[in-house]
Amino acid sequence: MTSYILRRLFLIIPTLFGIMLVNFMLVQFVPGGPIEQIIAGLESDASVFENIAGGAGEIRDVSKAESYLGSKGLPEDFIKELEVRFGFDKPPLERFLSMLWSYVRFDFGESYFRSISVTELIIEKMPVSLSLGLWTTLLAYIISIPLGIRKAVKDGTTFDSWTSSLIIVGYAIPGFLFAILLLVIFAGGSYFKIFPLRGLTSPDFADFTLWQKILDYFWHISLPVLASTISAFATLTLLTKNSFLDEIRKQYVMTARAKGLSEKAVLYKHVFRNAMLIVIAGFPAVFVSVFFGSSLIIETIFSLDGLGRMGFEAAIARDYPVVFGTLYIFSLVGLVIGLISDLMYIWIDPRIDFEKRLS
C-alpha cells in the first residue's frame, strides 16, 4: 500500500506540470493581455495606472513595443517599462520555468491590478466557496442516502415512480435557473421576501452576538446551497438506489434472510456497508466537483465574493498571476483528492487492493 501511495504522489508532479504547460501555451495565443487591458482602460479611466501592481512574468508573450503604439501616441519607454514590470522582456520558456519554481515554493506573486498577493486573495475568497461546497455536499448526502435506500426497498412501487419523476425533473433544471427561481419566489422578487438577496452576511454582522451570527450566516447561505444541491442531489439518490438494488439481489442477502434476520438487520447490518462503498468513498470527489464546478454561476447570481467569481474576473481582466495561481492550487487539490478517494475505498472495504492491480 505504501508503494501505491508513493507512486500516486510522484505521478502528481508530471500531471501538474502538464496542466500548467498546456494552459501556459494556450495563453500565448489569447489576444488582449494585461498591457492591452491597460491601454484600453485609458479610454475610460486615465487613473488605471494607479492600480497596477508588480508581478511575476508568467503571462503570454507580446510583440514589439510598436504594436501598442498608435493613435494614443504612448511613448516607447513607457511600454518597455510595462513589459519589464509584467515580465514580457523575458522569453516564454524562462517565464514558464520561473513561474514553476515560484509555485513549487507556493509563491504566487501579486495580482497585476490589485495591491494584494495571490495567496492573500485566495485566502480572502476561500470562506465563501468553502461554505458553499461543504454545505451543498453535506445536504446532498443527508437527503440522497435515506431517499435512495427507501427507493431501493420500494423499487417498482408508486413511491419509487413519483420520486424518480421528481428527481429527473430536478436534474434537468439547470442550477442557475433554479437559483433565479429561488430569488424570484423567496428573495423579494415577486412573491415573498424571506431570504436576503445577496451576500454571505448582513452589513452589521460584526455587531451581532455569536448566536445571531450563526443564524445570520445560515439565513444568507440557504438559497445558494439549495440552488447548488439540486443536481448533486439527483445523481447521488439514483446512485444510492442502484447500489442497494445490486447488493439486495446477491446471494449473501438471501442467506441472511434464510437465517431469520429481520429485514432491517439485513438491510443496515449487511447490505449498507457494501452498497455505500461507492457513495461514501466518492465524497471527496463530489465535494471538489461542487466546490469548483457550480461556484461561478451561483456566486454571481447571489453576489457572493468567492473563488469562482474571482477566477472569472481575473480571466476577463487578464490578471494572469491570479489565473495561474488558482489553477495550480485547484489542480493540486484535485489530484490529492483523487488519492484520498482511493484511500477511502480501501478504508471502507479492505478487500480492495489497488497495489495488486498496478503490479
Side-chain angles (χ1 to χ4, degrees), residues 203-218:
D204 52 348
F205 181 79
D207 300 329
F208 290 169
T209 63
L210 178 60
W211 181 245
Q212 289 175 330
K213 287 182 178 180
I214 295 174
L215 292 179
D216 183 75
Y217 168 77
F218 282 106

mmCIF file of all heavy atoms in Angstrom, residues 203-218:
data_model
loop_
_atom_site.group_PDB
_atom_site.id
_atom_site.type_symbol
_atom_site.label_atom_id
_atom_site.label_comp_id
_atom_site.label_asym_id
_atom_site.label_seq_id
_atom_site.Cartn_x
_atom_site.Cartn_y
_atom_site.Cartn_z
ATOM 1 N N PRO A 203 -24.755 43.544 6.726
ATOM 2 C CA PRO A 203 -23.772 44.627 6.872
ATOM 3 C C PRO A 203 -23.290 44.826 8.305
ATOM 4 O O PRO A 203 -22.128 45.153 8.530
ATOM 5 C CB PRO A 203 -24.538 45.853 6.362
ATOM 6 C CG PRO A 203 -25.571 45.296 5.439
ATOM 7 C CD PRO A 203 -25.971 43.984 6.029
ATOM 8 N N ASP A 204 -24.179 44.643 9.276
ATOM 9 C CA ASP A 204 -23.799 44.837 10.678
ATOM 10 C C ASP A 204 -23.473 43.514 11.372
ATOM 11 O O ASP A 204 -23.687 43.357 12.567
ATOM 12 C CB ASP A 204 -24.923 45.553 11.425
ATOM 13 C CG ASP A 204 -26.277 44.872 11.232
ATOM 14 O OD1 ASP A 204 -26.381 43.991 10.358
ATOM 15 O OD2 ASP A 204 -27.227 45.236 11.958
ATOM 16 N N PHE A 205 -22.927 42.577 10.609
ATOM 17 C CA PHE A 205 -22.624 41.235 11.120
ATOM 18 C C PHE A 205 -21.659 41.294 12.303
ATOM 19 O O PHE A 205 -21.767 40.504 13.248
ATOM 20 C CB PHE A 205 -22.030 40.387 9.996
ATOM 21 C CG PHE A 205 -21.699 38.974 10.385
ATOM 22 C CD1 PHE A 205 -22.688 38.009 10.468
ATOM 23 C CD2 PHE A 205 -20.393 38.607 10.673
ATOM 24 C CE1 PHE A 205 -22.395 36.705 10.823
ATOM 25 C CE2 PHE A 205 -20.088 37.301 11.022
ATOM 26 C CZ PHE A 205 -21.090 36.360 11.099
ATOM 27 N N ALA A 206 -20.706 42.213 12.266
ATOM 28 C CA ALA A 206 -19.688 42.291 13.322
ATOM 29 C C ALA A 206 -20.278 42.656 14.673
ATOM 30 O O ALA A 206 -19.689 42.344 15.722
ATOM 31 C CB ALA A 206 -18.614 43.299 12.931
ATOM 32 N N ASP A 207 -21.435 43.303 14.688
ATOM 33 C CA ASP A 207 -22.053 43.726 15.943
ATOM 34 C C ASP A 207 -22.974 42.670 16.548
ATOM 35 O O ASP A 207 -23.500 42.874 17.646
ATOM 36 C CB ASP A 207 -22.853 45.020 15.720
ATOM 37 C CG ASP A 207 -21.971 46.154 15.229
ATOM 38 O OD1 ASP A 207 -20.789 46.172 15.607
ATOM 39 O OD2 ASP A 207 -22.453 47.011 14.458
ATOM 40 N N PHE A 208 -23.173 41.554 15.848
ATOM 41 C CA PHE A 208 -24.081 40.514 16.323
ATOM 42 C C PHE A 208 -23.423 39.697 17.434
ATOM 43 O O PHE A 208 -22.191 39.610 17.535
ATOM 44 C CB PHE A 208 -24.481 39.577 15.181
ATOM 45 C CG PHE A 208 -25.378 40.207 14.154
ATOM 46 C CD1 PHE A 208 -25.635 39.557 12.953
ATOM 47 C CD2 PHE A 208 -25.984 41.435 14.374
ATOM 48 C CE1 PHE A 208 -26.455 40.122 12.004
ATOM 49 C CE2 PHE A 208 -26.812 42.008 13.432
ATOM 50 C CZ PHE A 208 -27.045 41.358 12.249
ATOM 51 N N THR A 209 -24.263 39.043 18.222
ATOM 52 C CA THR A 209 -23.780 38.047 19.171
ATOM 53 C C THR A 209 -23.446 36.764 18.415
ATOM 54 O O THR A 209 -23.760 36.632 17.225
ATOM 55 C CB THR A 209 -24.837 37.763 20.240
ATOM 56 O OG1 THR A 209 -26.004 37.196 19.608
ATOM 57 C CG2 THR A 209 -25.234 39.042 20.968
ATOM 58 N N LEU A 210 -22.822 35.818 19.096
ATOM 59 C CA LEU A 210 -22.429 34.572 18.432
ATOM 60 C C LEU A 210 -23.637 33.853 17.857
ATOM 61 O O LEU A 210 -23.611 33.382 16.709
ATOM 62 C CB LEU A 210 -21.698 33.670 19.427
ATOM 63 C CG LEU A 210 -21.271 32.298 18.893
ATOM 64 C CD1 LEU A 210 -20.338 32.446 17.709
ATOM 65 C CD2 LEU A 210 -20.631 31.470 20.001
ATOM 66 N N TRP A 211 -24.706 33.746 18.620
ATOM 67 C CA TRP A 211 -25.910 33.053 18.149
ATOM 68 C C TRP A 211 -26.536 33.800 16.975
ATOM 69 O O TRP A 211 -26.994 33.187 16.016
ATOM 70 C CB TRP A 211 -26.900 32.919 19.292
ATOM 71 C CG TRP A 211 -28.169 32.211 18.926
ATOM 72 C CD1 TRP A 211 -29.428 32.748 18.897
ATOM 73 C CD2 TRP A 211 -28.320 30.844 18.516
ATOM 74 N NE1 TRP A 211 -30.348 31.803 18.506
ATOM 75 C CE2 TRP A 211 -29.690 30.620 18.265
ATOM 76 C CE3 TRP A 211 -27.425 29.789 18.346
ATOM 77 C CZ2 TRP A 211 -30.183 29.394 17.851
ATOM 78 C CZ3 TRP A 211 -27.922 28.553 17.937
ATOM 79 C CH2 TRP A 211 -29.279 28.371 17.690
ATOM 80 N N GLN A 212 -26.532 35.116 17.023
ATOM 81 C CA GLN A 212 -27.081 35.903 15.919
ATOM 82 C C GLN A 212 -26.223 35.762 14.659
ATOM 83 O O GLN A 212 -26.754 35.722 13.542
ATOM 84 C CB GLN A 212 -27.172 37.377 16.323
ATOM 85 C CG GLN A 212 -28.255 37.680 17.342
ATOM 86 C CD GLN A 212 -28.223 39.127 17.804
ATOM 87 O OE1 GLN A 212 -27.159 39.764 17.847
ATOM 88 N NE2 GLN A 212 -29.380 39.657 18.169
ATOM 89 N N LYS A 213 -24.914 35.656 14.840
ATOM 90 C CA LYS A 213 -24.033 35.463 13.680
ATOM 91 C C LYS A 213 -24.297 34.124 13.009
ATOM 92 O O LYS A 213 -24.308 34.028 11.769
ATOM 93 C CB LYS A 213 -22.564 35.543 14.128
ATOM 94 C CG LYS A 213 -22.092 36.942 14.477
ATOM 95 C CD LYS A 213 -20.621 36.934 14.872
ATOM 96 C CE LYS A 213 -20.129 38.349 15.173
ATOM 97 N NZ LYS A 213 -18.696 38.381 15.563
ATOM 98 N N ILE A 214 -24.508 33.074 13.799
ATOM 99 C CA ILE A 214 -24.791 31.745 13.232
ATOM 100 C C ILE A 214 -26.101 31.764 12.455
ATOM 101 O O ILE A 214 -26.175 31.265 11.321
ATOM 102 C CB ILE A 214 -24.841 30.690 14.352
ATOM 103 C CG1 ILE A 214 -23.460 30.540 15.004
ATOM 104 C CG2 ILE A 214 -25.323 29.352 13.809
ATOM 105 C CD1 ILE A 214 -23.450 29.623 16.205
ATOM 106 N N LEU A 215 -27.137 32.351 13.046
ATOM 107 C CA LEU A 215 -28.428 32.434 12.359
ATOM 108 C C LEU A 215 -28.334 33.285 11.096
ATOM 109 O O LEU A 215 -28.908 32.936 10.050
ATOM 110 C CB LEU A 215 -29.476 33.027 13.305
ATOM 111 C CG LEU A 215 -29.886 32.157 14.505
ATOM 112 C CD1 LEU A 215 -30.902 32.896 15.364
ATOM 113 C CD2 LEU A 215 -30.463 30.821 14.031
ATOM 114 N N ASP A 216 -27.614 34.387 11.170
ATOM 115 C CA ASP A 216 -27.472 35.262 10.004
ATOM 116 C C ASP A 216 -26.723 34.561 8.882
ATOM 117 O O ASP A 216 -27.076 34.693 7.694
ATOM 118 C CB ASP A 216 -26.741 36.540 10.417
ATOM 119 C CG ASP A 216 -26.623 37.534 9.278
ATOM 120 O OD1 ASP A 216 -27.639 38.180 8.952
ATOM 121 O OD2 ASP A 216 -25.523 37.664 8.712
ATOM 122 N N TYR A 217 -25.693 33.805 9.241
ATOM 123 C CA TYR A 217 -24.913 33.067 8.245
ATOM 124 C C TYR A 217 -25.776 32.049 7.503
ATOM 125 O O TYR A 217 -25.776 31.989 6.271
ATOM 126 C CB TYR A 217 -23.735 32.393 8.939
ATOM 127 C CG TYR A 217 -23.014 31.372 8.103
ATOM 128 C CD1 TYR A 217 -22.136 31.760 7.107
ATOM 129 C CD2 TYR A 217 -23.218 30.003 8.308
ATOM 130 C CE1 TYR A 217 -21.474 30.822 6.336
ATOM 131 C CE2 TYR A 217 -22.555 29.058 7.559
ATOM 132 C CZ TYR A 217 -21.690 29.473 6.565
ATOM 133 O OH TYR A 217 -21.047 28.547 5.804
ATOM 134 N N PHE A 218 -26.516 31.234 8.255
ATOM 135 C CA PHE A 218 -27.362 30.226 7.611
ATOM 136 C C PHE A 218 -28.535 30.862 6.867
ATOM 137 O O PHE A 218 -29.022 30.304 5.885
ATOM 138 C CB PHE A 218 -27.870 29.222 8.648
ATOM 139 C CG PHE A 218 -26.846 28.212 9.047
ATOM 140 C CD1 PHE A 218 -26.213 28.268 10.278
ATOM 141 C CD2 PHE A 218 -26.497 27.190 8.177
ATOM 142 C CE1 PHE A 218 -25.256 27.345 10.640
ATOM 143 C CE2 PHE A 218 -25.541 26.249 8.530
ATOM 144 C CZ PHE A 218 -24.919 26.326 9.765
#
